[in-house]
Amino acid sequence: MLIEIPAVFSSEEAAGLRSRLEEANWRDGAGTAGHVAARAKTNLQLADADPLGLEIGAAIVERLAATPRFVAASLPVRILPPRFNLYAGGGAYGRHIDSAVFSAPGTRERVRSDLSATLFLSEPETYDGGELVAEFGMTREQVKLPAGHLLLYPANSLHQVMPVTRGTRIAAFFWIQSLVREQVRRTMMLELDDSIQALAARDSNDPEVVRLTGLYHNLLREWAAT
């Protein structure tokens, strides 16, 4: 299941981030992939300790904490610091599944990757290709979002970035450990939250809003693992 979180950053804000990143110190991205995935990866990345990447990554995490749709969809307990990649000149990332566990930079903390996230920073009309394609059984979904929009998808899904044949695709990517590990349960929680918000918008005093809100929190209490 792919979940779009629109306008995490405005197009103007994304343009400002992109212009700074265009001048960054990019390096071969294959060095950050596992030995199998590295053979399918032809892109550029910023070093994890790059000062510009750390600065912009912290701004992204701060913005996400204030984005209700992101919080509702991911129920985050830990967010790995965002990383940044650049695709151009036919660069691509073939079919792969993300690593199950990551080490938080500079610490011994381990973070389980329940969700993967891509924050698009290049406008889609400025490059050809670069779609993120995810596979769910027999279903194949392909997405290319406006700059400033975020895509969430299960980290255990097969996915790829199609070759960029014109222009440049710059994005942030990172992983999230959720309070609710199981994708099916997270989906139910999001659907329940959507229903509560829709009912509350019509009548915040509706007793059903109170009842469903209580059900939501009781389910979260039952399923959450911190």
Side-chain angles (χ1 to χ4, degrees):
M1 178 180 180
L2 302 181
I3 301 174
E4 179 181 349
I5 313 294
V8 174
F9 290 90
S10 69
S11 58
E12 293 78 12
E13 289 174 321
L17 298 177
R18 184 174 64 250
S19 65
R20 298 182 68 195
L21 288 166
E22 285 172 346
E23 306 301 321
N25 183 25
W26 296 96
R27 64 179 190 173
D28 185 1
T32 64
H35 70 281
V36 174
R39 295 197 294 270
K41 187 177 185 181
T42 53
N43 69 359
L44 300 177
Q45 285 186 205
L46 293 189
D48 290 349
D50 185 279
L52 178 60
L54 292 174
E55 176 193 340
I56 296 177
I60 290 171
V61 172
E62 182 178 359
R63 181 64 61 89
L64 291 172
T67 303
R69 184 66 176 171
F70 169 79
V71 174
S74 64
L75 297 171
V77 62
R78 295 181 183 88
I79 301 175
L80 273 169
R83 302 175 182 179
F84 299 86
N85 56 26
L86 183 156
Y87 292 85
Y93 197 170
R95 294 169 75 239
H96 65 284
I97 292 177
D98 292 337
S99 298
V101 178
F102 290 88
S103 296
T107 74
R108 291 187 173 183
E109 181 182 20
R110 300 287 222 171
V111 178
R112 187 184 65 242
S113 60
D114 296 321
L115 287 160
S116 299
T118 297
L119 176 66
F120 290 78
L121 294 173
S122 297
E123 295 294 355
E125 66 272 12
T126 64
Y127 62 97
D128 292 337
E131 297 86 358
L132 192 147
V133 179
E135 301 175 31
F136 306 101
M138 300 297 291
T139 303
R140 189 171 184 266
E141 299 186 44
Q142 180 168 300
V143 179
K144 184 176 179 177
L145 297 182
H149 292 224
L150 179 80
L151 186 69
L152 286 174
Y153 48 101
N156 64 358
S157 63
L158 267 172
H159 57 279
Q160 62 183 305
V161 177
M162 302 301 289
V164 173
T165 57
R166 177 187 65 88
T168 302
R169 176 196 190 269
I170 295 177
F173 64 101
F174 52 97
W175 295 274
I176 301 134
Q177 181 171 326
S178 177
L179 284 167
V180 177
R181 180 174 184 170
E182 296 84 356
Q183 173 66 26
V184 171
R185 290 178 174 180
R186 280 198 310 273
T187 300
M188 288 192 288
M189 295 295 291
L190 180 59
E191 291 177 354
L192 180 55
D193 184 71
D194 285 344
S195 296
I196 292 168
Q197 299 304 322
L199 285 172
R202 291 197 291 266
D203 181 4
S204 61
N205 294 317
D206 187 335
E208 291 304 305
V209 172
V210 176
R211 187 176 72 86
L212 290 175
T213 300
L215 174 61
Y216 177 95
H217 287 289
N218 284 334
L219 283 175
L220 185 57
R221 185 176 293 111
E222 183 71 21
W223 291 341
T226 60

